[in-house]
Amino acid sequence: MSGKRRRKLKSLVDTINDNKRLAIEVKNENLELQTWSDLPAELLELILSRLALDDNVRASVVCKRWHPVAIAVRIVNQSPWLMYFPKFGDLYEFYDPVQRKTYSVELTELSGSRVCYTKDGWLLLYRPRTHQVFFFNPFTREVIKLPRFEMTYQIVAFSCAPTSPGCVLFTVKHVSPTIVAISTCYPGATEWKTVNYQNRLPFVSSIWNKLVFCNGLFYCLSLTGWLGVFDPSERSWSVLSVPPPKCPENFFAKNWWKGKFMTEHNGDIIVIYTCSSENPILFKLDQSIMEWEEMRTLDGVTLFASFLSSHSRIDLPGMMRNSVYFSKVRFYGKRCISFSVDDYRYYPRKQCHDWGEQDPFENIWIEPPKDFSGFT
């Protein structure tokens, strides 16, 4: 090979190597120029959704891209926690669905009791052996005792925290298809007051009925879907002439009565019907025409459903909105089973959703205090 050709070949090789070095330098420079603002949207939303309110506000002013994402997932309301009652012992678990964390605490005060209802961070409990009824706050360990009362197959609810004025307890059980016995009590009372009421429509009570306090009234959904209403101020009772929500025939299968949940939101009564792996159906009571209407959207609301009491929340992380969270956790406590109304599917998809097979006294949603960060 002549010297001239060797020089040309060397020049070509040098050019190729220079181009490769230049490409590597440009690539490295581009990598160095990438910032946190270049994160994929899904990853950014996941990270920002885990931040507390103060940190979320700080993150929202980092850059223009972070601002709308931070606002979309900003937590300005506290999510309920799922409280598990052990079959044996006094060790109770609390699951936070936002942080996906589980806290354990020993509560010897609850020994021998079963949960009846929760509201405003308080538990209402009953000891079957002694007929003792009492309030308990698991976050402050405060106990408020109530007069003894024998509860057989009826359920019981209360209107607000027992430390608030006007707290009323309510329970109903049928004496006959057209007569119910309603018992009421309040913190500081020496006994329960029981009065029999006549129904125009049949009303049967059971442990599977649902109770909710809304706009000063107690609403009770019967086993067969009829709605009874009790006004504690007027001490009046009536069964509304509203036909039960209409469900497909396949919903009325084995244990269908166990797969019902009821809550309230902004004065509206909401009922959730489930059946095995079928998608849930949500109904809202249209009080202007007194009919149940099927809900196609939750308008940003998140529902938390459990057998004995259910809750509603707004302004939770974006991924939790327009969903129903059920009282069952999968994947070693890392994920709560939920149903997205927007996507019209369960998450995770391939799981057993037969709520009728679950023990109704196993767990319940409870509201932790806003300034509470964990058990110590």
Side-chain angles (χ1 to χ4, degrees), residues 347-366:
Y347 286 92
R349 187 189 297 273
K350 296 180 179 179
Q351 292 290 314
C352 176
H353 312 297
D354 190 358
W355 315 117
E357 298 297 331
Q358 190 172 338
D359 183 355
F361 302 106
E362 182 182 66
N363 51 48
I364 196 167
W365 290 105
I366 185 170

Side-chain angles (χ1 to χ4, degrees), residues 102-230:
T102 299
Y103 305 93
S104 298
V105 63
E106 192 170 359
L107 300 173
T108 56
E109 301 94 329
L110 306 188
S111 179
S113 64
R114 83 179 188 207
V115 63
C116 297
Y117 201 75
T118 63
K119 193 176 182 69
D120 297 338
W122 285 83
L123 296 165
L124 180 63
L125 299 122
Y126 174 64
R127 288 196 173 102
R129 289 186 179 180
T130 60
H131 307 314
Q132 185 179 0
V133 186
F134 63 102
F135 287 107
F136 181 74
N137 189 317
F139 305 104
T140 64
R141 312 292 281 262
E142 188 176 356
V143 178
I144 298 178
K145 295 183 178 180
L146 295 162
R148 295 179 188 272
F149 183 74
E150 183 177 0
M151 282 188 277
T152 51
Y153 56 85
Q154 73 269 39
I155 57 173
V156 60
F158 57 98
S159 59
C160 56
T163 52
S164 302
C167 176
V168 180
L169 291 89
F170 165 83
T171 184
V172 56
K173 75 174 180 180
H174 72 275
V175 178
S176 70
T178 57
I179 298 177
V180 297
I182 290 178
S183 301
T184 56
C185 191
Y186 58 90
T190 56
E191 63 179 3
W192 289 71
K193 185 174 183 179
T194 301
V195 178
N196 287 357
Y197 290 85
Q198 187 84 31
N199 304 323
R200 290 191 305 107
L201 297 169
F203 188 89
V204 179
S205 62
S206 77
I207 193 64
W208 305 113
N209 288 4
K210 306 299 172 185
L211 268 176
V212 68
F213 184 76
C214 177
N215 292 332
L217 305 173
F218 285 101
Y219 289 84
C220 183
L221 187 72
S222 76
L223 187 68
T224 53
W226 293 92
L227 197 61
V229 182
F230 179 72

Side-chain angles (χ1 to χ4, degrees), residues 272-341:
I272 306 162
Y273 274 63
T274 68
C275 181
S276 190
S277 60
E278 297 290 333
N279 288 331
I281 304 178
L282 281 66
F283 297 94
K284 181 175 69 175
L285 180 63
D286 187 335
Q287 301 189 41
S288 62
I289 57 176
M290 297 310 287
E291 288 183 1
W292 292 103
E293 62 177 18
E294 187 173 346
M295 300 178 69
R296 303 294 183 181
T297 178
L298 284 174
D299 294 324
V301 176
T302 308
L303 304 180
F304 297 85
S306 57
F307 285 100
L308 296 171
S309 67
S310 300
H311 307 267
S312 66
R313 285 291 181 276
I314 58 171
D315 297 330
L316 291 182
M319 65 184 71
M320 297 183 69
R321 297 174 189 175
N322 301 310
S323 297
V324 181
Y325 277 70
F326 292 95
S327 55
K328 186 178 287 188
V329 178
R330 290 297 196 199
F331 306 121
Y332 305 99
K334 296 299 182 183
R335 187 162 190 173
C336 198
I337 291 181
S338 63
F339 177 79
S340 169
V341 177

Side-chain angles (χ1 to χ4, degrees), residues 1-19 21:
M1 182 181 294
S2 66
K4 186 175 183 180
R5 290 185 64 187
R6 280 196 299 269
R7 286 194 297 273
K8 286 184 177 180
L9 182 60
K10 183 178 183 301
S11 177
L12 179 61
V13 172
D14 290 343
T15 301
I16 293 174
N17 289 335
D18 289 342
N19 288 339
R21 282 194 296 270

Side-chain angles (χ1 to χ4, degrees), residues 28-140:
N28 291 336
E29 184 178 354
N30 288 338
L31 288 174
E32 291 176 1
L33 290 174
Q34 286 184 342
T35 65
W36 283 93
S37 63
D38 298 317
L39 284 173
E42 295 80 5
L43 183 58
L44 181 61
E45 179 176 330
L46 180 62
I47 294 172
L48 296 182
S49 68
R50 301 296 183 90
L51 300 180
L53 179 58
D54 291 346
D55 293 331
N56 179 285
V57 172
R58 295 186 187 99
S60 69
V61 297
V62 169
C63 63
K64 290 183 179 180
R65 186 167 177 268
W66 281 29
H67 182 73
V69 179
I71 292 177
V73 300
R74 181 169 294 169
I75 305 172
V76 296
N77 206 346
Q78 182 82 39
S79 164
W81 288 6
L82 192 58
M83 179 180 181
Y84 284 92
F85 282 68
K87 292 183 179 180
F88 307 100
D90 299 316
L91 190 64
Y92 294 77
E93 291 187 340
F94 294 78
Y95 175 75
D96 179 355
V98 176
Q99 301 295 333
R100 296 185 180 182
K101 291 183 179 179
T102 299
Y103 305 93
S104 298
V105 63
E106 192 170 359
L107 300 173
T108 56
E109 301 94 329
L110 306 188
S111 179
S113 64
R114 83 179 188 207
V115 63
C116 297
Y117 201 75
T118 63
K119 193 176 182 69
D120 297 338
W122 285 83
L123 296 165
L124 180 63
L125 299 122
Y126 174 64
R127 288 196 173 102
R129 289 186 179 180
T130 60
H131 307 314
Q132 185 179 0
V133 186
F134 63 102
F135 287 107
F136 181 74
N137 189 317
F139 305 104
T140 64

